[in-house]
């Protein structure tokens, strides 16, 4: 269980004023749940994800994982404690191969065939990608799916995916929905947070949190929240052709 | 051949040799030939004046290799060695040359190897050269390789040169003169640390039509080490040349990249690229979210970059 207690995050802007990006935010993510966080651009979703992964430190409040205070834990220790994070804009590496990333992610020596499993899950033909460098020669959609595969390979207790659908083409998007549906089915004791605007992803959710202006505006079961979002910016239809 | 543990370790580092190799070889240890083997197609002879060896590869020799590792494990040894390779028409061979210096003493040890390659028409050569230093003496480990490549029509050469650890001072100079339809690929990998200094200079002349060259260097400068990469590609005919220098700078390192192009024909297509930067914070963060410490993340990034 992840508990965010009264979390604030503010930065000093150039003119010396403080800017509040996250304000007194409270959220509990229970085990065995698939939570979708949605909200307009600039509402603070990525910042919230980075606070959970330890990439940013809150300026106020506490973060608890299974009751343990992890507020001051660094990125590495949070990863070891079971938090996984797929970036909205994945970084690229010269010389590090897709296999290297999956090997590092799994935390042990994995066989290339085990690594291939993760790639197949995100709809990439493993043979074509396993020994490729995770560099600028990969398309936006490819690097995005590899990013998701690295988080799958970690088998974390809590995985956070920041806009996994962004930059992915339509065909792959359908695949991705399948990936998340199957993750939902195999969730066991883990839990997942997906940041997304997509109706198709909101539909998979157990719980939905709506972020507005740095704080949780609405939170509850999908059945209660989803109907209130249809037609708003928070729930974008993908494309009628996909239905 | 009786080798001590240090000599064995150096051979493993510079030539991936854990036992005596197949094919032709010449092991030079502490200034003298320790052991040599020739084959029906590959002859190795000492030069009359004792300054080095001549390696003759018969025309049409296929899938054979030549290993010529050099080990210096005595402090204070300084040598200049001339090795000439004559690669016959249509041959296809691998040449592995490496030099390792172990210096536990307080005098400098230095190996200056001058390698000349005469690659005849249609021949293919893969050349692998690794440099390595070890030992904790205050004497320096110095390597100054000079490589000259003369490529005849339609010949092809690939050079992989790596210096990853322990060499205090290096001045590397490589020249190539290339005839019609010949092609050269160079991949250089360099890492310096401490107060090491490395200079690498290339002058590749694409003399005739259809010659191509691709010279790529990747390097990492750590601590207070300094590096200079100076590559010039000159085109005298319709030809293609590309040079790239890509470096990671760390700590208080210094890197100078001076790529240059010289076009002496309107159809000479020449390109150079150079980039120097520190490890991107985002790269470290990504690997840390995969459970690595910052230090482990740095090592993975450098190892990948230099792989
Ligand atoms: N380190 C930072 N310094 C200044 N402004 C920031 C910083 N991080 C985020 N912001 C700002 O905070 C707001 C929320 O950003 P973000 O979390 O990326 O939103 P979202 O992911 O919901 O689109 C944006 O206005 C963004 O420009
Ligand atoms: Mg965002």
């Amino acid at each position: 269980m992840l508990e965010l207690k009264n979390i604030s995050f503010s930065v000093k802007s150039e003119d010396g004023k403080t800017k509040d990006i996250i304000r007194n935010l409270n959220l509990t993510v229970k085990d065995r749940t698939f939570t979708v966080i949605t909200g307009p651009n600039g509402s603070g979703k990525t910042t919230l994800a980075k606070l959970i992964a330890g990439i940013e430190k809150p300026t106020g409040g506490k973060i608890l994982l299974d009751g343990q205070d992890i507020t001051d834990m660094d990125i590495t220790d949070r990863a070891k404690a079971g938090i996984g994070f797929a970036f909205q804009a994945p970084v690229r590496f010269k010389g590090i191969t897709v296999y290297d990333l999956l090997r590092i992610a799994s935390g042990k020596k994995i066989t290339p065939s085990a690594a291939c499993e993760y790639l197949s899950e995100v709809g990439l033909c493993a043979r074509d990608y396993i020994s490729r460098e995770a560099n600028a020669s990969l398309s936006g959609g490819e690097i995005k799916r590899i990013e998701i595969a690295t988080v799958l390979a970690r088998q974390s207790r809590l995985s956070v995916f920041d806009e996994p659908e962004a930059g992915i083409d339509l065909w792959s998007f359908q695949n991705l929905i399948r990936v998340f549906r199957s993750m939902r089915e195999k969730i066991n004791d883990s839990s997942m947070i997906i940041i997304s605007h997509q109706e198709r992803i909101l539909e998979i959710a157990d719980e939905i949190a709506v972020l507005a202006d740095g704080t949780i505006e609405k939170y509850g079961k999908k059945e209660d929240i989803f109907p209130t979002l249809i037609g708003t910016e928070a729930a974008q239809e993908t494309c009628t052709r996909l239905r | 051949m009786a080798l001590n543990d240090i000599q064995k370790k150096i051979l493993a580092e510079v030539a991936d040799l854990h036992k005596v190799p197949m094919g032709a070889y010449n092991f030079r240890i502490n200034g003298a030939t320790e052991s040599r083997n020739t084959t029906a197609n590959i002859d190795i002879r000492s030069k009359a004046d004792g300054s080095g060896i001549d390696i003759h590869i018969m025309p049409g020799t296929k899938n054979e290799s030549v290993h010529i590792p050099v080990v210096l494990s005595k402090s204070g040894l300084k040598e200049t060695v001339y090795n000439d390779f004559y690669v016959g028409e249509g041959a296809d061979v691998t040449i592995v040359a490496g030099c390792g210096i172990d210096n536990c003493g307080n005098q400098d040890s230095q190996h200056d190897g001058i390698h000349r390659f005469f690659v005849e028409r249609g021949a293919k050569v893969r050349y692998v050269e690794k440099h390595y230093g070890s030992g904790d003496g205050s004497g320096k480990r110095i390597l100054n390789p000079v490589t000259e490549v003369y490529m005849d029509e339609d010949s092809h050469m690939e050079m992989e040169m790596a210096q990853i650890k322990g060499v205090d001072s290096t001045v590397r100079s490589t020249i190539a003169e290339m005839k019609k339809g010949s092609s050269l690929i160079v991949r250089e990998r360099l890492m310096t640390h401490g107060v090491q200094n490395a200079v690498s200079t290339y002058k590749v002349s694409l003399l005739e039509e259809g010659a191509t060259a691709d010279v790529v260097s990747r390097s990492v400068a750590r601590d207070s080490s300094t590096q200079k990469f100076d590559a010039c590609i000159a085109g005298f005919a319709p030809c293609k040349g590309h040079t790239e220098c890509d470096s990671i700078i760390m700590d208080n390192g210094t890197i100078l990249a001076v790529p240059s192009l010289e076009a002496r024909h309107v159809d000479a297509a020449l390109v150079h690229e150079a980039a120097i930067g520190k490890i991107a914070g985002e790269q470290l963060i990504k690997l840390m979210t995969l459970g690595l410490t910052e230090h482990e993340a740095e090592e993975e990034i450098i190892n990948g970059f230099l792989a």
Side-chain angles (χ1 to χ4, degrees):
Chain A
M1 187 166 76
L2 178 80
E3 294 164 273
L4 303 173
K5 298 198 161 189
N6 220 20
I7 293 292
S8 300
F9 180 71
S10 45
V11 290
K12 278 239 166 17
S13 50
E14 275 160 30
D15 53 13
K17 287 199 195 109
T18 47
K19 182 181 170 197
D20 298 328
I21 296 170
I22 299 292
R23 294 180 295 135
N24 303 324
L25 182 147
N26 288 286
L27 179 69
T28 299
V29 178
K30 284 174 285 194
D31 290 347
R32 290 178 287 275
T33 58
F34 188 109
T35 303
V36 176
I37 298 178
T38 189
N41 286 330
S43 58
K45 303 180 298 298
T46 293
T47 305
L48 179 59
K50 288 184 173 172
L51 287 164
I52 295 171
I55 298 164
E56 298 285 4
K57 288 259 166 337
T59 41
K62 289 212 169 310
I63 304 175
L64 308 182
L65 183 67
D66 298 329
Q68 189 199 352
D69 188 342
I70 60 164
T71 318
D72 293 322
M73 229 186 221
D74 66 16
I75 305 171
T76 307
D77 287 337
R78 285 197 209 194
K80 288 181 174 160
I83 295 178
F85 179 41
F87 286 75
Q88 180 173 352
V91 61
R92 295 158 192 271
F93 297 88
K94 272 184 192 164
I96 293 188
T97 63
V98 172
Y99 173 70
D100 288 330
L101 288 177
L102 293 168
R103 166 182 58 77
I104 294 167
S106 75
K108 49 181 192 276
K109 283 213 164 78
I110 55 167
T111 61
S113 75
C116 287
E117 295 266 311
Y118 297 115
L119 291 176
S120 317
E121 279 206 51
V122 293
L124 291 176
C125 173
R127 204 187 33 200
D128 297 345
Y129 289 93
I130 194 82
S131 51
R132 264 183 81 173
E133 286 183 31
N135 64 15
S137 73
L138 294 166
S139 76
E142 288 168 331
I143 194 81
K144 206 61 190 172
R145 281 184 275 172
I146 289 160
E147 178 76 5
I148 294 166
T150 63
V151 173
L152 295 181
R154 276 205 69 70
Q155 307 197 294
S156 298
R157 301 226 330 66
L158 171 76
S159 303
V160 184
F161 296 87
D162 193 358
E163 302 205 23
E165 76 280 2
I168 286 188
D169 59 71
L170 292 184
W171 184 88
S172 310
F173 181 72
Q174 283 195 312
N175 240 317
L176 194 71
I177 298 297
R178 212 172 303 138
V179 171
F180 282 109
R181 278 194 187 285
S182 112
M183 283 197 263
R184 171 67 196 91
E185 274 154 31
K186 292 187 269 182
I187 201 161
N188 294 326
D189 285 336
S190 63
S191 51
M192 296 172 50
I193 298 175
I194 319 288
I195 294 170
S196 176
H197 307 283
Q198 294 297 332
E199 265 187 43
R200 301 278 307 274
I201 288 179
L202 286 159
E203 276 167 10
I204 312 171
D206 297 306
E207 312 274 343
I208 295 175
V210 182
L211 201 63
D213 212 5
T215 199
I216 304 284
E217 188 190 58
K218 285 184 206 168
Y219 174 78
K221 295 215 164 313
K222 175 190 67 188
E223 292 71 23
D224 302 329
I225 306 290
F226 189 53
T228 71
L229 297 175
I230 303 213
T232 70
E233 196 193 341
Q236 290 164 3
E237 286 184 35
T238 329
C239 170
T240 44
R241 275 190 296 164
L242 269 178
R243 295 182 159 254
Chain B
M1 184 168 47
L3 297 176
N4 65 31
D5 287 348
I6 286 174
Q7 293 168 341
K8 281 183 193 153
K9 177 167 191 296
I10 291 177
L11 282 174
E13 289 283 349
V14 301
D16 268 330
L17 286 179
H18 301 277
K19 53 182 193 323
V20 172
M22 302 279 286
Y25 59 80
N26 187 87
F27 284 31
R28 183 182 175 93
I29 302 200
N30 290 328
T33 292
E34 172 79 24
S35 159
R36 175 179 297 171
N37 188 48
T38 59
T39 69
N41 295 320
I42 302 177
D43 193 26
I44 302 177
R45 273 189 225 153
S46 298
K47 286 184 190 291
D49 61 2
S51 64
I53 52 177
D54 288 330
I55 295 107
H56 287 271
I57 298 165
M58 299 257 287
T61 303
K62 300 274 183 215
N63 299 321
E64 285 201 43
S65 63
V66 188
H67 284 79
I68 53 155
V70 171
V71 174
L72 265 65
S73 57
K74 242 194 246 161
S75 185
L77 210 62
K78 284 190 188 168
E79 58 179 8
T80 303
V81 179
Y82 296 82
N83 296 336
D84 291 327
F85 297 81
Y86 299 89
V87 184
E89 193 169 326
D92 184 349
V93 292
T94 298
I95 298 169
V96 181
C99 180
I101 301 180
D102 183 83
N103 192 349
C104 296
N106 53 16
Q107 291 174 15
D108 294 353
S109 295
Q110 178 169 346
H111 174 84
D112 296 351
I114 293 100
H115 287 183
R116 292 194 299 173
F117 294 87
F118 302 92
V119 187
E120 288 181 13
R121 185 191 295 257
K124 279 186 173 172
V125 178
R126 177 168 171 256
Y127 176 66
V128 182
E129 181 193 275
K130 281 190 196 159
H131 285 168
Y132 171 79
S134 61
D136 47 17
S138 59
K140 291 201 167 74
R141 288 143 288 252
I142 303 168
L143 284 166
N144 296 321
V146 175
T147 308
E148 295 178 13
V149 181
Y150 301 95
M151 300 187 64
D152 207 341
E153 287 184 18
D154 299 318
S155 63
H156 176 75
M157 182 146 176
E158 267 180 61
M159 307 175 76
E160 294 166 32
M161 302 192 283
Q163 179 173 312
I164 303 299
K165 234 185 133 186
V167 178
D168 294 296
S169 168
T170 289
V171 178
R172 172 191 292 282
S173 139
T174 306
I175 66 157
E177 293 186 0
M178 304 178 56
K179 292 203 176 153
K180 202 167 162 185
S182 62
S183 56
L184 174 68
I185 295 175
V186 176
R187 295 287 176 266
E188 185 186 281
R189 300 283 180 267
L190 173 67
M191 180 154 78
T192 51
H193 37 161
V195 292
Q196 293 170 0
N197 180 42
V199 177
S200 185
T201 310
Y202 288 85
K203 175 79 191 235
V204 176
S205 302
L206 302 164
L207 300 174
E208 294 181 2
E209 186 165 357
T212 63
D214 185 24
V215 177
V216 176
S217 162
R218 277 195 179 177
S219 74
V220 177
R222 315 181 83 145
D223 306 325
S224 300
S225 62
T226 57
Q227 300 180 359
K228 183 176 178 188
F229 178 75
D230 188 341
C232 174
I233 297 194
F236 295 81
C239 61
K240 276 193 184 137
H242 171 247
T243 168
E244 183 180 334
C245 161
D246 203 341
S247 303
I248 294 179
I249 183 165
M250 300 173 72
D251 313 313
N252 299 307
T254 303
I255 300 174
L256 247 71
V258 196
S260 67
L261 304 175
E262 213 178 284
R264 297 186 182 275
H265 190 284
V266 68
D267 288 318
L270 308 175
V271 176
H272 77 62
E273 301 169 74
I276 303 173
K278 64 175 182 181
I279 295 177
E282 288 173 350
Q283 293 182 331
L284 291 171
I285 289 173
K286 168 62 190 171
L287 297 187
M288 286 158 75
T289 65
L290 297 180
L292 300 188
T293 62
E294 187 170 350
H295 180 73
E296 288 165 344
E298 228 171 62
E299 292 302 309
E300 285 283 355
I301 291 166
I302 290 170
N303 289 342
F305 184 73
L306 294 176

